[in-house]
Amino acid sequence: MEPSSGNRAGSHTGNRADIRDFLVSRRAKLAPERVGLPAGRRRRVPGLRREEVAALACVSTEWYTRLEKGHVGGVSEDVLEAVARALLLDEDERTYLLDLARAARPARRATRRREDAALPPSVQWMVDSMTMAPAFIRSGRLDIVASNALCGALYAPMFASGTTGERGCANFARYFFLDPGSRDFFVDWPEGARATVAVLRAEAGREPGDRALRELIGELSTRSPDFRDMWARHDVRVRHEGTKRLEHPDVGRLEMTFRHLDLPLSRGAVHDLIIYAAEPGTPSADRLAVLAGRTAARASTAEPAQPPR
C-alpha cells in the first residue's frame, strides 16, 4: 500500500495495486510441482503462469488476468475462494485477499483519519491488576495504547526511544525500523521485523482507508530500506504470537511466550490484549520475577499505599 493523496481515486488506485501486487507475488512463489504441474525448462518467470492459475481456479485466462490487474468489481466470494485455493493461500492470506476485495467496493474507497476508540477505565484496571505478567493493549497500527507497570519496565528501551514522537506513544513498527537499538534488544530481530510488517500488511487490508495507517507505512517506507524491502514481499499475518526473546538492559536474556486476545471496543474498533509469561522454573522466569520485584518497589516508593478506611 503506497501513500496516497487521501481522495477516493487515490484510495481506489492504491487498493487495485495492492490486489495486483499480492496476487503476482503469490503466483511467483508457487512452484509448479506443488500443484502437480511439471516444472519444465522454458519458464521465463518463477512460479506459475497466469493461464495455469486460471485453469486451477476453473476460470478463463482473460478473467484471471483482469483480476490480477486489480479489477474485482462484481467478483463473487466463491470465485475469490477458488483463486485462493489455486494459489494455495494460507488462512491469513485468504483473509487478506477477501478484505482487499471488500475494500474495493465503492462505499469503502474513501480514505479517512480513523478516530482511536477510547479505552474504558475498566480495561486499564484489568491490565494493571496483572503484576507478574507484562500486558498491554495494542492497536491495529501497532501502537501501545495501554500497558501495565511491568510492561513499561520490560519495554523500557522502546518507551524511552525517540521513535515515540510528540505523542509519546510507543509503536512497534517505528521502534523496529527507526531505532538502531532495536536490533540489540530483540534477539530474533529479522523474524520479529518480518512479522511486524506482515501484521501491518493485514491491517492495511482490513482498513485501507485509514489515513494514519497510510502515513505510517509511507514514513517507514521512506526512512527504512529494510521496511521497504519487507513490505514489497506482501507477506501477511493476521495473528502474531509465539516466543519472544529479549536482551533486557537490566536483567539480561528473557525468553517468554506471548498470546493475544481480541478486545472489541466501541465504534467497531478491535484492539489486541497481549500477555507475556515465562515458563516456570526457568532462568527467564527468575529474571522476570526480579524485574517485577524492582517495578513493584519503585511503584511503592513513588506512591505509598494508603491504609484501608
Side-chain angles (χ1 to χ4, degrees):
M1 175 178 293
E2 299 298 331
S4 74
S5 61
N7 57 29
R8 288 175 180 263
S11 177
H12 188 200
T13 301
N15 178 263
R16 184 179 297 174
D18 288 337
I19 296 169
R20 178 196 66 214
D21 294 344
F22 177 67
L23 290 175
V24 169
S25 70
R26 298 310 94 171
R27 178 164 60 85
K29 290 179 63 175
L30 188 55
E33 312 88 83
R34 292 189 60 198
V35 294
L37 296 174
R41 295 184 178 181
R42 302 184 63 183
R43 289 183 177 270
R44 292 176 293 179
V45 295
L48 298 183
R49 302 184 181 98
R50 284 177 177 170
E51 57 268 25
E52 291 170 332
V53 176
L56 291 167
C58 299
V59 299
S60 70
T61 301
E62 291 76 15
W63 187 94
Y64 178 75
T65 299
R66 180 175 171 78
L67 176 62
E68 200 171 88
K69 290 180 179 179
H71 299 284
V72 296
V75 176
S76 71
E77 194 162 298
D78 288 342
V79 172
L80 290 172
E81 292 279 9
V83 171
R85 289 192 296 271
L87 291 170
L88 302 186
L89 301 187
D90 63 26
E91 187 61 26
D92 288 354
E93 292 169 329
R94 171 190 162 279
T95 299
Y96 178 67
L97 176 61
L98 294 177
D99 283 341
L100 289 178
R102 294 186 189 108
R105 295 168 183 165
R108 293 288 307 275
R109 290 174 189 167
T111 59
R112 68 204 184 283
R113 186 169 294 281
R114 183 176 51 171
E115 294 183 9
D116 292 324
L119 290 177
S122 58
V123 173
Q124 184 65 61
W125 304 338
M126 176 183 66
V127 172
D128 286 338
S129 71
M130 303 179 198
T131 57
M132 295 302 295
F136 59 93
I137 308 296
R138 187 187 69 185
S139 73
R141 301 184 202 113
L142 304 187
D143 290 327
I144 294 183
V145 297
S147 60
N148 62 9
L150 186 51
C151 174
L154 179 70
Y155 276 118
M158 182 165 63
F159 283 103
S161 171
T163 60
T164 57
E166 296 179 358
R167 294 186 303 154
C169 181
N171 177 277
F172 278 97
R174 284 196 175 96
Y175 182 62
F176 258 101
F177 292 100
L178 302 182
D179 191 323
S182 69
R183 296 175 183 268
D184 297 321
F185 183 64
F186 291 105
V187 176
D188 306 301
W189 187 92
E191 178 184 345
R194 287 191 295 269
T196 297
V197 175
V199 169
L200 274 185
R201 173 67 76 176
E203 179 68 6
R206 283 190 298 267
E207 295 289 343
D210 183 353
R211 192 182 307 166
L213 177 61
R214 285 181 172 270
E215 290 170 355
L216 172 63
I217 293 167
E219 175 192 3
L220 295 172
S221 297
T222 300
R223 299 179 60 186
S224 171
D226 287 320
F227 179 88
R228 191 162 56 247
D229 291 344
M230 293 180 191
W231 186 254
R233 297 174 189 173
H234 290 267
D235 293 333
V236 179
R237 186 175 297 189
V238 174
R239 301 180 69 88
H240 178 40
E241 53 189 18
T243 300
K244 184 77 69 177
R245 297 198 301 162
L246 307 176
E247 192 63 46
H248 196 276
D250 294 334
V251 297
R253 180 68 59 89
L254 290 167
E255 181 171 327
M256 298 162 293
T257 295
F258 67 102
R259 292 288 183 268
H260 80 199
L261 301 171
D262 291 340
L263 187 66
L265 299 173
S266 61
R267 298 193 299 275
V270 178
H271 288 4
D272 295 329
L273 168 62
I274 315 289
I275 304 172
Y276 286 57
E279 182 179 352
T282 63
S284 289
D286 295 338
R287 292 170 187 147
L288 188 60
V290 169
L291 188 62
R294 293 176 182 176
T295 302
R298 284 195 296 269
S300 63
T301 301
E303 299 179 9
Q306 298 296 319
R309 295 181 180 180

